[in-house]
Amino acid sequence: MAANLQPRVKRPHGNVVNLSHGSGGKAMRDLIEGLILPALGASSATPLEDQARIDVLETLGTGGQIAFTTDSYVVDPLSFPGGDIGTLAVNGTVNDLAVGGARPIVLSCSLILEEGLPFTILEKMMCSMAQAAQAARVRIVTGDTKVVPRGSADKMFINTAGIGIIPTGVHLEIARIRPGDQLLLNGHLGDHGAAILKARGDLSLDADVESDCQPLNGIIAALLMAAPGTRCIRDVTRGGLATVLNEFAAGAGVGMRIVEDSIPVRPVVRGICEVLGLDPLYLANEGKLLAVVPKEEAGAALDALRSCPEGTYAGVIGEVLAGPPGRVVLSSHFGGERIVDMLVGEQLPRIC
């Protein structure tokens, strides 16, 4: 996609971002109109108002609720196997909307750029955002750009906010979880965390692993169509699967049991965890969801997940128990059980 966008991009004078590009003057406008807007697939003729205008009737249709979310991205390094900060900034916010049952519609894009950032890197990240937005079927409609002096930021940070529409009749809430419900995961754990470890190069890891960074709005729509009684969904990101399970158990006042042999982890990721003393249950992901589904709908839900490319390796990994409230246990490969606590501290900083 970057190659297709290249002819429309007109980089400002020089090769790097400088403080004048955040001043609000001509240099800033040249950066926005010459590089950022074209790279995102917009035109310099796009009105640069202080807000985006959305046709409410056309967007809402017959009814529903508006969902609104925001997230900031500071991943290090900017690029990693399977993605970069641009794809992460789009997919992360799209997924935060989708797990609430919303159909993502529009995003904002706010940039904090360090003085000296090469335009080539900025252009690459903007093109990645455009490509990710197209794949997720959302539009980037508004944004902001700030430039800070060298040393005041690490190359670039991105904030995206997103708006989506929750259709009438869709209610996904932790409080709806009931004993006997099934826990469904859509694929392998830990790919993103392992990819970031590899990209940082500090440990000389010789591992063929890519981030799972991907939009989940399509697979979630398929899931809700097949299993309309789905209780709740959460994307499994920082803190990993263990943290999401603990949040569900505490929020609903139930217990949860997961089965170790039912949780898919790639051999290369398991190997990295064994070498570094990490637990895949706590590794970050950027394209995984955990869904709590009534037992009678679990079969249809699993079929729906597996029918999508994002859910090829989906499976039932456990069930909801009546208690003890707030406790998560893992049935191990060897037949024993252990308590799975919420992540304490930071296992891997600047993962997203």
Side-chain angles (χ1 to χ4, degrees):
M1 184 168 182
N4 295 333
L5 291 172
Q6 182 67 31
R8 291 184 288 163
V9 172
K10 182 180 178 182
R11 296 175 189 160
H13 178 70
N15 297 313
V16 301
V17 172
N18 61 56
L19 291 176
S20 68
H21 291 119
S23 67
K26 184 178 183 301
M28 181 173 176
R29 194 169 189 91
D30 288 346
L31 177 67
I32 293 171
E33 293 185 347
L35 192 156
I36 295 174
L37 287 179
L40 289 175
S43 165
S44 59
T46 301
L48 296 180
E49 304 287 355
D50 279 347
Q51 73 292 128
R53 283 87 183 274
I54 311 299
D55 190 314
V56 175
L57 181 60
E58 177 184 342
T59 302
L60 282 176
T62 58
Q65 293 179 298
I66 293 178
F68 176 59
T69 190
T70 185
D71 207 344
S72 298
Y73 301 87
V74 298
V75 66
D76 177 41
L78 294 180
S79 295
F80 45 84
D84 55 43
I85 194 172
T87 57
L88 195 61
V90 171
N91 291 335
T93 297
V94 163
N95 293 345
D96 283 347
L97 291 169
V99 294
R103 176 169 62 92
I105 304 295
V106 293
L107 304 180
S108 69
C109 168
S110 293
L111 306 173
I112 298 177
L113 309 177
E114 182 187 19
E115 179 187 17
L117 177 73
F119 288 135
T120 53
I121 293 178
L122 176 58
E123 181 182 339
K124 178 180 183 296
M125 300 309 157
M126 294 298 95
C127 289
S128 290
M129 290 191 75
Q131 188 172 18
Q134 184 178 31
R137 301 181 300 279
V138 297
R139 292 182 296 139
I140 300 172
V141 297
T142 189
D144 182 54
T145 303
K146 295 293 189 297
V147 179
V148 297
R150 293 176 189 267
S152 297
D154 188 0
K155 296 181 279 295
M156 70 181 298
F157 301 147
I158 301 178
N159 172 275
T160 48
I163 294 175
I165 305 302
I166 302 175
T168 300
V170 174
H171 301 286
L172 300 177
E173 298 176 352
I174 293 176
R176 298 181 63 233
I177 296 174
R178 297 291 182 269
D181 290 345
Q182 303 294 288
L183 306 175
L184 277 65
L185 182 71
N186 68 312
H188 296 94
L189 284 184
D191 290 355
H192 180 70
I196 295 297
L197 279 169
K198 176 183 177 182
R200 288 180 180 170
D202 296 335
L203 302 172
S204 301
L205 293 172
D206 184 17
D208 185 15
V209 60
E210 291 189 350
S211 170
D212 59 342
C213 186
Q214 60 185 344
L216 296 172
N217 47 329
I219 191 173
I220 289 174
L223 168 64
L224 295 179
M225 182 71 68
T230 297
R231 310 294 194 190
C232 62
I233 309 171
R234 184 70 58 85
D235 52 335
V236 183
T237 54
R238 287 176 297 171
L241 177 65
T243 295
V244 175
L245 288 166
N246 275 276
E247 289 174 348
F248 280 179
V254 296
M256 294 193 172
R257 177 187 290 115
I258 55 175
V259 179
E260 184 175 28
D261 288 344
S262 299
I263 301 171
V265 180
R266 298 184 197 278
V268 63
V269 174
R270 193 176 299 279
I272 290 173
C273 289
E274 289 174 355
V275 169
L276 301 179
L278 302 174
D279 187 336
L281 293 179
Y282 297 93
L283 277 186
N285 310 268
E286 288 296 341
K288 296 298 177 293
L289 65 86
L290 180 68
V292 183
V293 178
K295 189 172 184 177
E296 61 271 19
E297 293 187 1
L302 187 58
D303 288 343
L305 292 177
R306 288 177 174 171
S307 71
C308 301
E310 305 88 352
T312 302
Y313 298 98
V316 177
I317 64 165
E319 63 179 340
V320 178
L321 308 175
R327 177 177 293 181
V328 179
V329 297
L330 179 141
S331 297
S332 74
H333 174 76
F334 301 102
E337 286 191 346
R338 68 177 174 90
I339 293 176
V340 178
D341 288 323
M342 186 174 288
L343 177 65
V344 177
E346 183 69 75
Q347 189 178 56
L348 191 62
R350 293 186 60 183
I351 197 74
C352 60

